[in-house]
Amino acid sequence: MSSLDATRADLALLVLYLNKAEARDKICRAIQYGSKFVSNGEPGTAQNVDKATSLARKVFRLLKFVNGLHSLISPTPPGTPLPITLLGKSKDALIATFLFLDQFVWLGRSGIYQDKERVELIGRISLFCWLGSTVCTSLVEIGELGRLSASMKKLEKELKNSDKYDNEQYRAKLKKSNDRTISLIKAGIDTVVAVGLLRLAPNKVTPRVTGAFGFVSSLISCYQLLPPPTKSKTT
């Protein structure tokens, strides 16, 4: 493969990535929380960027609550323990509620809906829903990682006379475990971000801390949305 072909393939992957509304939303989220980190809640250009980007992101999320509803009514994989199932469905319900209420916040901040006090109340309720969803996500990931760890140990015993990394099933479980570990870390970070946005611990989770954690969480989300690399053909 020539350098031109490689560049064309890389640009095709970038186009594919940027064509995703979710990817553009997470890039805007990184800008938003990066600006929050810089401003530290103080008036100025960085805070204006934070507010403008936050409002722009809400457009990406219009009617996105339908995704949460679809996930809520979808069947869980066979063999999933009841506690994990209930936590997963609770997470889906909370996310759907958060995204539904967030539309009213957008209406208020864009000037269409004039009742500012009610908009603020709806905004806090939606953030509490998001906070609950991040906690549920963390618990689900911990439970699933425990199940994966047990199945991997069982598989290791079966493969004790061979290299486990040569086994396709083991590699698939290892990749899934790594993905869930990243999701667990992101959920934990998002919990701190939600606490900061709700100002539940203003002395510890300052706007700068919220911005830093939100920026890292956004980068993780951008990484999770990356398309798989294409395999080059060799002659």
Side-chain angles (χ1 to χ4, degrees):
M1 179 180 287
S2 67
S3 59
L4 180 60
D5 290 335
T7 303
R8 189 182 296 116
D10 291 338
L11 287 175
L13 282 176
L14 181 60
V15 170
L16 179 65
Y17 182 75
L18 294 177
N19 278 341
K20 298 178 181 179
E22 188 75 12
R24 295 197 299 273
D25 175 52
K26 299 310 178 186
I27 293 172
C28 289
R29 188 176 190 262
I31 296 172
Q32 175 194 346
Y33 283 104
S35 302
K36 187 181 290 292
F37 172 79
V38 173
S39 71
N40 194 27
E42 299 294 331
T45 303
Q47 189 182 66
N48 293 338
V49 173
D50 174 15
K51 292 181 178 179
T53 312
S54 175
L55 185 61
R57 285 187 60 227
K58 295 186 185 300
V59 179
F60 287 110
R61 299 202 294 262
L62 290 176
L63 299 179
K64 194 178 175 182
F65 69 93
V66 176
N67 295 352
L69 291 177
H70 180 265
S71 181
L72 179 62
I73 63 177
S74 298
T76 55
T80 304
L82 181 59
I84 294 179
T85 299
L86 293 176
L87 284 169
K89 295 303 179 183
S90 298
K91 178 202 73 173
D92 294 335
L94 288 166
I95 280 288
T97 305
F98 160 68
L99 293 171
F100 177 75
L101 294 177
D102 198 52
Q103 296 178 119
F104 294 97
V105 177
W106 173 75
L107 289 173
R109 293 183 181 174
S110 59
I112 299 173
Y113 186 62
Q114 300 294 333
D115 194 336
K116 292 184 178 180
E117 290 185 4
R118 184 161 293 181
V119 168
E120 288 298 321
L121 176 61
I122 292 173
R124 282 190 67 80
I125 294 172
S126 69
L127 285 175
F128 271 112
C129 289
W130 184 50
L131 173 61
S133 72
T134 62
V135 173
C136 287
T137 301
S138 297
L139 295 174
V140 167
E141 296 302 338
I142 290 171
E144 291 291 1
L145 280 170
R147 295 177 64 208
L148 269 173
S149 177
S151 63
M152 289 173 69
K153 287 179 180 178
K154 182 180 178 180
L155 188 58
E156 284 176 6
K157 291 180 179 179
E158 296 174 358
L159 300 171
K160 60 182 179 180
N161 294 326
S162 60
D163 188 353
K164 59 187 178 183
Y165 295 106
D166 290 336
N167 185 273
E168 186 176 348
Q169 186 181 1
Y170 184 85
R171 291 199 307 270
K173 287 181 181 291
L174 182 61
K175 182 182 183 303
K176 190 178 293 186
S177 177
N178 292 336
D179 291 342
R180 288 199 174 277
T181 301
I182 293 174
S183 296
L184 175 60
I185 293 171
K186 180 183 177 299
I189 293 173
D190 281 338
T191 300
V192 177
V193 175
V195 168
L197 294 175
L198 287 164
R199 298 184 294 277
L200 298 178
N203 294 329
K204 294 183 179 180
V205 188
T206 62
R208 177 152 289 168
V209 172
T210 304
F213 275 72
F215 182 75
V216 172
S217 170
S218 303
L219 294 182
I220 293 174
S221 296
C222 290
Y223 167 77
Q224 290 175 318
L225 291 169
L226 285 173
T230 55
K231 295 181 180 179
S232 60
K233 295 181 179 179
T234 56
T235 56

